[in-house]
Amino acid sequence: MNSQNQLFKPDGKNSIHDGIEHSPSGGKALIDPTDAVLLLLDHQTGLFQNVKDIAVADLRRNTTALAKLAALIDLPLIITASIPEGPNGPLMPEIQQVAPHAVYVPRKGEVNAWDNALFVKTVRETGKKTLIIAGVWTNVCVMFPALDAKAEGYNVYVVIDASGDPSEIASRTTLARFTQAGVIPTSTNAVTCELHRTWNRPDAAQLAELYCMASPSYQAVMESFNKAQEVKDAKQTNNGPKTTRSTTPALAAQSR
């Protein structure tokens, strides 16, 4: 069984079940992993060419990190593209490479994915009421279905740094409209943390790798930490047995 399924239960409490006593109020304001579905919309190569509010390399890396997170924790993932045979281009291949469980929903020319009956049916059939959405462009391909889903009663989060717009002003006005409508803006790192919740899990090292994707500098943190531990352990070699340490900083810190 996936560790995520063992840690969280679909009881509406969003509590961590790892055998440790936690605060009963912890997690109530966060995304519930048992009630969430990830929607990656229109991450197409043609649209990427007009993204100006974020570096395309960062956008693609963050989107890939979200897809890898979905695969790691068995989070439902639905993807779609707007006319992939046209100038908008095909979907970035990384998504299906790292998340083969992703469900692709073709559209029939609709700009707004929520106008496509099959797409909405696929979302509803997951039984989840929390939508985590990212896409290109943010002010169209993400905003339209996000607003419609919110109006239909879904809890909607938009991952801003896994989305892209043609300009900074487009991004800022879109963000304002999201907040006015009750759509919650978030980031790749924040989503990962909310669904992660604890280092006391067997897939902690794999989650640490996702943080390195969302924040490449975190890799340097891990490398410097691990090197410091190696030096310390080398100095203690003649004073007793060597301690086995985790490659994940947070877990290693817990072991001290």
Side-chain angles (χ1 to χ4, degrees):
M1 179 182 292
N2 183 278
S3 62
Q4 186 85 349
N5 296 331
Q6 295 173 315
L7 283 169
F8 301 98
K9 302 182 185 300
D11 54 11
K13 298 179 179 179
N14 201 17
S15 301
I16 301 171
H17 298 272
D18 59 359
I20 298 173
E21 183 179 359
H22 299 286
S23 167
S25 61
K28 290 190 180 300
L30 305 180
I31 298 173
D32 184 345
T34 69
D35 187 46
V37 55
L38 176 62
L39 310 179
L40 297 180
L41 313 179
D42 302 346
H43 286 92
Q44 297 169 251
T45 57
L47 295 176
F48 283 157
Q49 296 178 51
N50 282 326
V51 168
K52 304 299 181 184
D53 65 323
I54 184 174
V56 172
D58 293 340
L59 190 163
R60 294 183 74 143
R61 186 179 63 250
N62 291 334
T63 302
T64 303
L66 289 175
K68 290 188 73 170
L69 174 66
L72 179 63
I73 67 173
D74 291 337
L75 188 72
L77 170 55
I78 300 171
I79 59 178
T80 187
S82 171
I83 315 194
E85 66 277 8
N88 286 359
L91 282 170
M92 55 181 279
E94 299 96 313
I95 297 174
Q96 288 171 300
Q97 288 170 358
V98 302
H101 76 298
V103 176
Y104 174 73
V105 178
R107 305 214 299 275
K108 299 179 179 179
E110 301 95 340
V111 173
N112 177 6
W114 213 259
D115 278 328
N116 182 277
L118 179 59
F119 181 83
V120 175
K121 178 175 181 289
T122 304
V123 173
R124 288 174 179 162
E125 286 178 346
T126 67
K128 313 297 184 181
K129 295 297 291 182
T130 300
L131 310 185
I132 303 169
I133 308 177
V136 181
W137 294 328
T138 320
N139 70 333
V140 178
C141 305
V142 176
M143 185 170 68
F144 293 179
L147 295 179
D148 277 344
K150 180 64 180 177
E152 196 168 317
Y154 286 89
N155 303 311
V156 183
Y157 293 76
V158 170
V159 190
I160 300 299
D161 63 355
S163 306
D165 257 331
S167 68
E168 289 284 352
I169 189 65
S171 182
R172 290 197 295 270
T173 55
T174 302
L175 186 61
R177 191 168 178 185
F178 282 151
T179 55
Q180 290 169 354
V183 172
I184 303 172
T186 187
S187 66
T188 301
N189 195 64
V191 168
T192 304
C193 287
E194 285 191 59
L195 299 180
H196 171 184
R197 293 285 298 283
T198 176
W199 287 107
N200 186 32
R201 51 191 298 163
D203 55 2
Q206 293 166 285
L207 283 160
E209 293 175 1
L210 296 181
Y211 290 120
C212 292
M213 294 181 69
S215 179
S217 296
Y218 191 63
Q219 181 68 44
V221 174
M222 293 179 63
E223 291 170 351
S224 61
F225 175 87
N226 292 332
K227 185 61 179 179
Q229 296 306 314
E230 290 175 9
V231 171
K232 181 179 179 180
D233 289 340
K235 290 180 179 179
Q236 295 177 341
T237 298
N238 297 326
N239 299 324
K242 184 175 180 180
T243 302
T244 300
R245 298 183 181 275
S246 168
T247 58
T248 303
L251 286 181
Q254 290 175 6
S255 70
R256 289 181 289 174

